[in-house]
Every structure is written in C-alpha cells, then in structure tokens.
Amino acid sequence: MPITKILNKVGPSTSSGTSLTKEEIKLLLAAEGDDKKLLFDKALQTKLAHLDNYVHLRGLIEYSNICTKSCLYCGVRSKNPNFTRYQLSDEEVIECAKLAHELGYGSVALQSGERSDKDFTDKITHLVKEIKKIDNGSLGITLSLGEQTEETYRRWFEAGAHRYLLRIEASNEDLYYKIHPRDEKHNFQTRLNCIDTLLKLGYQTGTGVMVGLPFQTLDDLADDLLFFKQKDVAMVGMGPFIPHPDTPLWQYKDQISSAEERMELTLKMIAILRLMMPEINMVAATANQTVDPMGREKAIAVGANVIMPNLTPNEFRENYLIYPDKACVKDKPDQCQTCLDVRLAAIGHKVLYNAWGDSVAFTKKHAPKTTCV
Ligand code: SAM
C-alpha cells in the first residue's frame, strides 16, 4: 500500500487520533526518502493542530544511581561496580527544585535507580511534600522511580506527585526477557501491572521503549505503538538504545543498526505515534541528543513536545551514566536554558514557561462532565 494512502487516513483533527493497523505501522516504519518526509510533515502538522508549537519542560533531578535491578542494557545496573554510587541529600533535591521554579520550568521530574525499601519510599514521600511547598505547590511533579507497590504509588500520589513515567521497555514478553534477567526482580507481568495500577490511581501515566535494541524487530515496534494506544497512556518517552560497555547487551553492539539508523527509527516511532495519539505528551529524550547533537530538536520537529533539561548537580551527573557519552553532562542549568530557547526558536517552537504542561489527552479525558439541562 502506498504511504500516501495511509497518511490520507489521517483526518483533520479528531482527538482520539488515527487508527492504524499493524501492517500500516510497519510500512510507515520502513518509509524512506520522500515517504519519510511526508510522514514527518504530517506528524508535525498534527502536533501543531492539537498542541500548538509549545514545548514543556521538566527539570530532571537524577536523585540516585543506587539500583537493586540488573537490566541488561543499563549502565547503573546493580552489577556494574565501575562507578561511584550516590544519593542526593534532601537539601540538594530542594535546591534543584527551587532552581527549576526560578528558571520557570513549571515541573520537575525525579528519577532514580530502583529501590522499594521503606527508607527510600518514605524519603520520596517527604521530598514530594517538600517540593510541593515551594511557592504553594506551583511545581508539577513527575516521578520515574520504577516498580513499586500500589500502596507506595498511592502515598506518592497523595503527597502531590501527579505524573509517573514507567517505560515498559519492550511490550513483547519474549523480547523483554532478552533484555532483562529472568528472575523474581525482573518480571514482565509485574511491570505491566504497575502501569495498570498507575493508570487506576489517576496518575498521568507515561510509558515507552528503547528503539534499536538487539533482537527487536519492526513487528515489535509496531506492537509497542499499539500497546501505548491500547493502554491509552497520557505520555510516552522513546529514545534510541545506546550500548553501554559495562552491560551484558554490549556484546551485541556490532549486530545492531548504526546510531544514525536507531535515531531515524526513533523519529519514525515518534511521528507515527503522534498520528495515533495526537494529544499525548511525548518526550524528546536525552538519548536522542546523545546520538545526534540535533537529536532533541529533530524529535520535537516530528511530534515530541516535552524536554527534560538536566538539573542534577554537575558533580553527580557523570555517575548517572545509564548509557555512555550522555549529552549535557557538563552543561550548567542557565547555559542549558539559553541554549534550549535558541535551538527551539530555530525550529519554530517555543518553551511554555511557568506552566505544568499537563497532557491534553489526559486533561480532556478527566475533565468534569457538564450536563446540559
Ligand atoms: N529505574 C527507573 C525505571 O526503571 O523506570 C527509572 C530510571 S531508568 C535508568 C530510565 C530509563 O533509561 C529506562 O526506562 C530505560 O529505557 C533508559 N535506559 C537505560 N539504559 C539505556 C541505554 N543503554 N540506552 C538507552 N536508554 C536506556
């Protein structure tokens, strides 16, 4: 089927987006040349029609690299002894959050290696409450702290966090177990259940995958997009897989596609999802910028609408290397802001400062229903 025929299905602007079949998604994922340009143009038009040219910021606080898991792709996995483990102090976290507020970011995202012990979960509850005290709750809070019990997720929600990002990493169970150890700590069903719990509790729930993993096929990627749609999530984060030398998946580095190809495939994933889910928030992940200096702008130009500038104190950043050569590790926050404004203006976009930047898809779905009398 010609790509133009598939893209012609994309109607003027229904909030629920275009229904694409798996075959159609696979054809779009394989698009090249003029076809790929048509896809990217359509995705940008769709985003501008639904969300305008605004980019929302989440000041990223990489709270700790202490992790109890051993994901086969991740540099901070518990079995990597080659770097120093850290956890920010309460004061450092609050300083980062205050800085986000001063810079007008509107929201922070607290991310960490995965722990679920009581000290950790209590500490997060405390930190969320403290961040909420800044200027009377003016900062939105996204958490990305891995798999937790329903009770923990509820406590954090009640403390004031309202968005949660938990990538499924691979919606195909077989692939999931090729990139995670098969043991009680890494369980596909548990991860799925966590996403369902977050949705049920009322979080703006985000998920996502890495693109270009060893063993991953276009079938898998098409299924990932259908999975996001089926779960009706409010946010998605997708970025290219970047092999890390201290991880088991490094051994496949010569069998995966080039960094440029993984980047292009990521852009196609973002563009196609924008057609399918026009009003969700989509992150232009730092991994994009790591494989391509213009990677975040490219992601924004094909449908992403969120950027997470790093606010972690510089001395800790090089120990939060989930993948090597991570972008912006040496940047200072004020440099980062000027750089972002200029880079986004160059592609016709602008930051919406001092706003939470919630997912329009979520807000509409949960808006109180008015009845006509
Ligand atoms: N532990 C939390 C969790 O599991 O959701 C949050 C932190 S985790 C380090 C953040 C994300 O980094 C993961 O969801 C994964 O997709 C991404 N990531 C880890 N290693 C990566 C790699 N080698 N290349 C690209 N992305 C990677």
Side-chain angles (χ1 to χ4, degrees):
M1 188 194 297
I3 297 294
T4 41
K5 195 159 171 214
I6 304 173
L7 293 178
N8 283 340
K9 276 177 64 170
V10 181
S13 309
T14 55
S15 304
S16 55
T18 308
S19 284
L20 296 173
T21 65
K22 184 169 170 182
E23 282 316 307
E24 289 169 336
I25 295 173
K26 279 170 61 184
L27 283 170
L28 292 174
L29 284 172
E32 291 301 339
D34 288 347
D35 284 345
K36 185 174 76 179
K37 185 171 179 329
L38 280 177
L39 165 65
F40 288 170
D41 288 350
K42 196 80 175 193
L44 177 60
Q45 283 164 23
T46 304
K47 182 182 76 164
L48 295 176
H50 287 267
L51 305 177
D52 212 336
N53 64 345
Y54 292 118
V55 173
H56 304 299
L57 301 183
R58 319 281 182 236
L60 176 63
I61 307 171
E62 293 161 334
Y63 176 55
S64 169
N65 61 4
I66 301 170
C67 191
T68 55
K69 296 184 92 176
S70 280
C71 306
L72 303 181
Y73 45 83
C74 186
V76 305
R77 65 199 302 269
S78 61
K79 291 191 178 138
N80 180 5
N82 298 335
F83 62 99
T84 311
R85 302 277 169 178
Y86 73 86
Q87 176 172 309
L88 300 185
S89 67
D90 293 6
E91 293 70 32
E92 283 162 338
V93 172
I94 302 308
E95 280 311 306
C96 291
K98 283 186 177 158
L99 181 59
H101 182 51
E102 274 163 32
L103 294 170
Y105 285 3
S107 285
V108 289
L110 199 58
Q111 197 183 72
S112 176
E114 202 160 307
R115 280 175 60 189
S116 51
D117 56 280
K118 191 170 177 324
D119 282 354
F120 180 81
T121 58
D122 285 352
K123 177 64 84 185
I124 298 295
T125 311
H126 171 72
L127 289 172
V128 170
K129 286 182 180 163
E130 289 300 305
I131 294 172
K132 272 288 152 198
K133 285 184 191 159
I134 297 171
D135 196 19
N136 292 320
S138 62
L139 281 173
I141 304 181
T142 305
L143 298 180
S144 176
L145 305 168
E147 295 162 28
Q148 304 290 341
T149 63
E150 177 166 342
E151 202 258 320
T152 299
Y153 284 146
R154 181 177 290 110
R155 254 193 310 136
W156 292 347
F157 189 73
E158 285 167 0
H162 75 300
R163 294 186 288 244
Y164 203 103
L165 188 58
L166 185 73
R167 288 186 177 180
I168 187 67
E169 313 293 4
S171 66
N172 171 345
E173 187 166 356
D174 288 339
L175 178 57
Y176 186 88
Y177 285 118
K178 285 184 176 140
I179 62 169
H180 297 95
R182 201 181 265 273
D183 61 24
E184 70 289 348
K185 277 212 173 96
H186 305 80
N187 187 290
F188 179 69
Q189 194 55 50
T190 306
R191 201 144 182 107
L192 272 183
N193 293 347
C194 283
I195 292 173
D196 288 339
T197 303
L198 291 163
L199 287 163
K200 182 182 84 179
L201 291 175
Y203 277 97
Q204 284 178 48
T205 303
T207 189
V209 292
M210 287 167 284
V211 179
L213 286 161
F215 316 113
Q216 190 182 49
T217 63
L218 288 192
D219 269 78
D220 292 326
L221 290 170
D223 282 334
D224 289 335
L225 296 182
L226 291 167
F227 169 82
F228 305 151
K229 177 103 176 164
Q230 184 245 325
K231 289 285 170 201
D232 198 15
V233 291
M235 327 184 288
V236 169
M238 294 183 280
F241 163 64
I242 304 172
H244 189 300
D246 297 330
T247 64
L249 288 195
W250 177 252
Q251 65 188 295
Y252 301 106
K253 67 180 191 325
D254 299 326
Q255 291 167 40
I256 56 174
S257 57
S258 68
E260 196 180 55
E261 286 165 324
R262 279 176 273 139
M263 177 72 202
E264 280 297 298
L265 199 51
T266 303
L267 295 178
K268 289 183 206 169
M269 289 287 280
I270 292 171
I272 298 166
L273 191 62
R274 181 53 74 200
L275 305 181
M276 296 167 71
M277 304 183 80
E279 295 182 346
I280 62 167
N281 276 350
M282 252 196 283
V283 184
T286 309
N288 291 303
Q289 199 186 350
T290 300
V291 299
D292 178 338
M294 291 295 287
R296 284 198 306 199
E297 291 82 340
K298 287 182 180 173
I300 294 290
V302 301
N305 68 325
V306 174
I307 288 181
M308 296 167 70
N310 199 340
L311 292 184
T312 312
N314 287 71
E315 65 265 37
F316 296 104
R317 288 188 199 181
E318 52 203 44
N319 285 318
Y320 197 84
L321 287 189
I322 48 188
Y323 42 78
D325 305 320
K326 202 159 141 229
C328 295
V329 165
K330 295 202 162 55
D331 290 6
K332 296 266 179 250
D334 49 343
Q335 283 175 327
C336 193
Q337 182 167 24
T338 319
C339 157
L340 262 180
D341 284 333
V342 172
R343 282 167 165 243
L344 290 173
I347 55 163
H349 281 68
K350 56 180 176 241
V351 172
L352 189 64
Y353 283 106
N354 301 304
W356 283 12
D358 282 337
S359 152
V360 171
F362 181 92
T363 311
K364 279 192 181 168
K365 192 166 146 195
H366 295 269
K369 303 270 178 297
T370 45
T371 29
C372 297
V373 281

